[in-house]
Amino acid sequence: MDLKLFGEVFVTLLVIVDPPGMMPIFLALTGPLAARDRNRAAWQAVALALGVIVIFAVAGQTLLDYLHVDLPALQAAGGLLLVLVALELLTGKADDPSHQTTSNIALVPLGTPLLAGPGAIVATMLFVQQADGAAEYVAIAAAIVAVMLTVWVVLRYSGGIVKVLRPGGIEVLTRIAGLLLAAIAVQLIADAVAAFVTQYATTT
């Protein structure tokens, strides 16, 4: 296994996924849930993110070419989806336990597009395209798994923070997370628009 490539992929994906930055959003979305459901949401989100990243690493470019979808379009779609989630957090709809189900939260937005977002997908696809030989493919695969395990550990043991914050603190954290999520969404959409403009400017 190429340890240098492993370290490069691991650090790159870890910075993109940003487990510490993901924690307040995870707590805001799962705060009203029981500890068991919160833990289940953590591993379901990580499992889905791992599956999505692996699929795009293996067949991402082929899939996008078949659907005639550019990467900026995927990025903009992720941004729009995050806008909807951010609005729920800001308006308090996410606070209603009856409105939440563990699987829905784990799949969207935690699994994708937060963990397996456009940044992680594009970075993985680029690493795979540049890889040469079995050793480098193994290094990339091991790095992806290591990053997802790191994210799972962070989310799994974030429940202690919920006990410290109490319901009032969770509510404040939810609003802050909604604002941050809205900012992330706007940035994703802005980057997608800029990429579209650059792409079509170079082709004309």
Side-chain angles (χ1 to χ4, degrees):
M1 185 174 69
D2 189 333
L3 293 179
K4 181 180 179 182
L5 180 61
F6 171 86
E8 184 179 351
V9 177
F10 178 82
V11 171
T12 300
L13 290 181
L14 196 66
V15 170
I16 292 173
V17 175
D18 187 19
M22 192 65 58
M23 191 183 299
I25 298 172
F26 175 76
L27 292 177
L29 290 169
T30 62
L33 299 177
R36 182 178 179 181
D37 291 335
R38 190 183 308 113
N39 295 337
R40 187 187 310 153
W43 74 258
Q44 286 178 342
V46 170
L48 174 67
L50 178 61
V52 170
I53 289 177
V54 168
I55 289 173
F56 274 93
V58 174
Q61 194 60 55
T62 302
L63 180 62
L64 293 179
D65 290 342
Y66 177 77
L67 296 174
H68 303 289
V69 173
D70 294 327
L71 285 175
L74 184 67
Q75 188 170 350
L80 291 174
L81 184 59
L82 289 184
V83 167
L84 297 177
V85 178
L87 289 175
E88 286 194 355
L89 292 175
L90 289 170
T91 57
K93 290 183 179 179
D95 298 339
D96 183 5
S98 63
H99 180 69
Q100 297 185 347
T101 59
T102 305
S103 59
N104 287 346
I105 293 172
L107 300 180
V108 179
L110 290 177
T112 181
L114 286 176
L115 293 179
I121 289 173
V122 172
T124 304
M125 288 172 60
L126 290 176
F127 278 122
V128 171
Q129 290 172 4
Q130 295 168 3
D132 183 22
E136 294 190 354
Y137 286 119
V138 171
I140 293 171
I144 293 171
V145 172
V147 168
M148 290 297 110
L149 284 175
T150 303
V151 173
W152 176 79
V153 170
V154 172
L155 299 184
R156 169 64 177 79
Y157 294 101
S158 63
I161 300 177
V162 174
K163 299 177 182 178
V164 175
L165 292 177
R166 306 290 184 181
I170 289 293
E171 184 175 352
V172 173
L173 183 64
T174 298
R175 303 298 180 264
I176 296 174
L179 184 61
L180 294 175
L181 202 57
I184 294 172
V186 170
Q187 188 64 55
L188 281 175
I189 295 172
D191 290 344
V193 171
F196 272 125
V197 171
T198 303
Q199 177 179 333
Y200 288 109
T202 54
T203 57
T204 55

